[in-house]
Amino acid sequence: MRQPTATKVLVIGYVWPEPRSSAASGHVMQILEAFLGQGWDITFSSPAGPGENRADLIALGIREVPIELNSSSFDAFIAELAPDIVLFDQFMMEEQFGWRVEKHCPGALRVLETSDLQSLRHARHQRLKDRLKDDGVSQDFSDLFAQDLPQAFELMANTDLAKREIAALYRCDLNLMVSEVEIELLVEHFKLPRNLLHWCPLMLDLPSEARVPFEDRAHFLSIGNFRHAPNWDAVLWMKNAIWPLIRQQLPGAQLHLYGAYTPPKATALHNPAQGFHIMNWAEDALQVMSQARVCLAPLRFGAGIKGKLIDAMLCGTPNVTTPIGAEAMHGEMPWPGSIDQSAEDIARAAVQLYSDQSLWTRARDNGLALLADRYRRQVHGPALIDCLDACRGDLAQRRRDNFTGSMLRHHQHKSTQYMSQWIEEKNRNSQAGSVPG
């Protein structure tokens, strides 16, 4: 009897995964692990250059194939591969390669891994810039944090980025969302059909080893990729407003800031006399998190869910964050630390958590309960596979029902396709010594 062939998956990454550098890459790796658990045949491709901290996909049994932007070489590659599922990592990859996938593998299920809603993050960043321009003195941002989903829609609706991103979501057969808040925003205000969206948060194994106790921990910690704008803004807010308030109450306090790709502007902030230490990249983020007593994550803008706060829970490290940091992360569960909206309140909560062992212990236990309630791999991994299987089994009907997506794909073929082909021809002629007029 002939054995069925394994499902073939092509993942097109914006970058090669670096799970120790960003939560977005960590989520991609968790999805790949769910696929591997099914025995699926996986190829990972990216037009990006190799990063410093990239994961060894080949060691996991995943094929690595570099690809080029605006090149018909991709057409021959995907036609020969003939995948059953194509997963785009971030919407820009769907923009670049989606029309090629549809042209050469029309029966492949097209899935978008969003990581976060980038247009929401950028709109919130602009809102913060406007607020700081109008009032650069007040350190209370409750007015920004209080804005609801209708206001978020108003911020996003007229931006080019939102139009591009929402169009990509419509064009795909399924979109993986880490944030329930973003699902509601898309369904209620951008009117995406709910069945195009699948809630797929970080997928974790619960910690089994004992966590480092309160009395054996020291220092505050903040961690995050310095290239990610929300993280860099949080560093500046800590440096200029929050950390001086903490040091007033705890004169000997030390803050260790870890992050991948540390730029000179970050190392320039290093000041041991103030207890403000720029530590560069952490080889083992969980190890340094386990030694810290309190994690600081004062995010003034952002989207999605925050890997640094998940890491803190895994390590039993209470945290202090903002409503943006905690958004979509805890449902009705108590938060493992404190959620505050001003520099003064963040500093006060941080000092209290650092000094009060009973409060610290309650926060630590809340973190473990939250992980068990919302982030178990054993729940979300099978749910993802079931959803993908159901979509593949009903693909023709799903596409008929999604007329808006079909319409957008039609127009994409008339714009993105021809622009890409023009760029490819321009590059070819430029190499030959002439450029088309």
Side-chain angles (χ1 to χ4, degrees):
M1 181 177 178
R2 185 178 178 181
Q3 294 297 316
T5 58
T7 296
K8 296 173 70 173
V9 181
L10 171 64
V11 180
I12 303 178
Y14 182 70
V15 296
W16 297 95
E18 295 189 16
R20 295 186 294 173
S21 299
S22 75
S25 282
H27 194 233
V28 170
M29 292 301 296
Q30 292 161 10
I31 293 170
L32 291 176
E33 289 163 4
F35 294 170
L36 288 170
Q38 299 299 303
W40 290 358
D41 181 350
I42 306 171
T43 301
F44 195 102
S45 294
S46 177
E52 295 176 11
N53 311 309
R54 63 181 289 184
D56 187 353
L57 299 180
I58 294 175
L60 298 174
I62 298 172
R63 194 177 303 107
E64 294 183 358
V65 180
I67 52 178
E68 296 181 38
L69 299 173
N70 303 306
S71 173
S72 56
S73 61
F74 180 84
D75 300 350
F77 159 67
I78 194 168
E80 181 179 355
L81 183 64
D84 303 295
I85 300 173
V86 176
L87 177 72
F88 304 102
D89 171 30
Q90 302 194 31
F91 81 90
M92 296 83 78
M93 294 299 93
E94 189 281 334
E95 282 186 326
Q96 175 66 217
F97 296 102
W99 67 270
R100 295 183 185 273
V101 171
E102 182 172 16
K103 180 178 180 180
H104 297 284
C105 297
L109 181 72
R110 297 186 293 272
V111 183
L112 177 58
E113 151 65 354
T114 61
S115 296
D116 66 5
L117 204 55
Q118 294 186 37
S119 49
L120 174 60
R121 170 161 41 91
H122 282 259
R124 285 172 167 171
H125 193 183
Q126 186 59 51
R127 180 184 66 185
L128 174 63
K129 291 177 182 177
D130 294 342
R131 163 74 155 71
L132 294 175
K133 188 184 302 182
D134 294 339
D135 178 8
V137 178
S138 173
Q139 296 299 322
D140 184 344
F141 294 91
S142 55
D143 56 328
L144 297 189
F145 297 139
Q147 294 193 348
D148 57 15
L149 292 184
Q151 291 169 314
F153 174 74
E154 290 295 325
L155 289 170
M156 298 165 62
N158 291 323
T159 66
D160 288 343
L161 186 61
K163 292 170 184 175
R164 290 173 53 201
E165 187 170 27
I166 304 305
L169 296 173
Y170 266 113
R171 286 193 297 263
C172 288
D173 301 309
L174 185 69
N175 301 278
L176 308 184
M177 309 295 301
V178 298
S179 166
E180 295 162 305
V181 170
E182 293 172 12
I183 290 176
E184 291 308 307
L185 174 64
L186 291 169
V187 171
E188 298 300 326
H189 299 282
F190 287 97
K191 306 304 180 184
L192 263 81
R194 191 175 290 272
N195 72 341
L196 290 183
L197 308 173
H198 175 72
W199 182 48
C200 182
L202 298 182
M203 300 180 283
L204 307 166
D205 296 317
L206 298 183
S208 56
E209 66 279 2
R211 270 82 67 85
V212 179
F214 175 89
E215 60 272 14
D216 292 339
R217 294 172 179 249
H219 310 318
F220 293 88
L221 176 140
S222 185
I223 193 166
N225 191 324
F226 286 112
R227 288 179 175 174
H228 193 50
N231 292 338
W232 176 241
D233 176 74
V235 169
L236 294 178
W237 196 25
M238 284 187 283
K239 174 70 173 179
N240 297 325
I242 297 169
W243 187 243
L245 295 174
I246 292 176
R247 287 275 288 191
Q248 285 177 13
Q249 300 172 71
L250 295 174
Q254 306 292 311
L255 172 59
H256 294 172
L257 297 103
Y258 292 88
Y261 303 104
T262 309
K265 65 182 180 180
T267 55
L269 300 179
H270 182 68
N271 191 327
Q274 297 176 355
F276 199 89
H277 303 269
I278 303 296
M279 308 295 287
N280 299 317
W281 183 63
E283 182 73 27
D284 185 339
L286 295 181
Q287 192 275 331
V288 297
M289 183 71 78
S290 294
Q291 301 303 314
R293 189 173 289 179
V294 174
C295 172
L296 298 179
L299 297 162
R300 293 191 287 189
F301 70 98
I305 59 178
K306 314 306 179 294
K308 60 178 68 63
L309 298 179
I310 292 290
D311 285 349
M313 295 177 217
L314 286 168
C315 297
T317 306
N319 73 80
V320 182
T321 190
T322 64
I324 291 291
E327 182 179 84
M329 290 198 66
H330 64 116
E332 301 299 320
M333 300 286 288
W335 186 250
S338 186
I339 303 170
D340 297 284
Q341 306 188 40
S342 69
E344 293 79 6
D345 288 344
I346 290 170
R348 186 182 306 111
V351 169
Q352 192 174 9
L353 266 176
Y354 195 89
S355 307
D356 187 332
Q357 183 170 358
S358 62
L359 181 66
W360 185 95
T361 302
R362 272 200 311 276
R364 179 201 63 190
D365 293 344
N366 286 343
L368 182 59
L370 178 52
L371 291 174
D373 183 71
R374 291 176 66 87
Y375 298 101
R376 283 185 296 159
R377 185 191 305 270
Q378 298 92 329
V379 172
H380 295 291
L384 172 60
I385 300 302
D386 288 347
C387 184
L388 293 173
D389 286 342
C391 290
R392 291 181 64 197
D394 192 31
L395 186 56
Q397 185 63 49
R398 289 176 67 85
R399 289 179 176 173
R400 281 195 295 272
D401 292 344
N402 181 17
F403 178 79
T404 299
S406 176
M407 177 177 62
L408 289 168
R409 288 197 305 275
H410 170 80
H411 288 288
Q412 185 199 32
H413 278 245
K414 299 296 186 282
S415 56
T416 309
Q417 174 182 353
Y418 296 147
M419 175 60 73
S420 178
Q421 291 173 336
W422 181 84
I423 292 172
E424 182 179 10
E425 184 65 21
K426 178 182 177 182
N427 291 340
R428 185 181 298 115
N429 289 336
S430 178
Q431 292 169 0
S434 63
V435 179

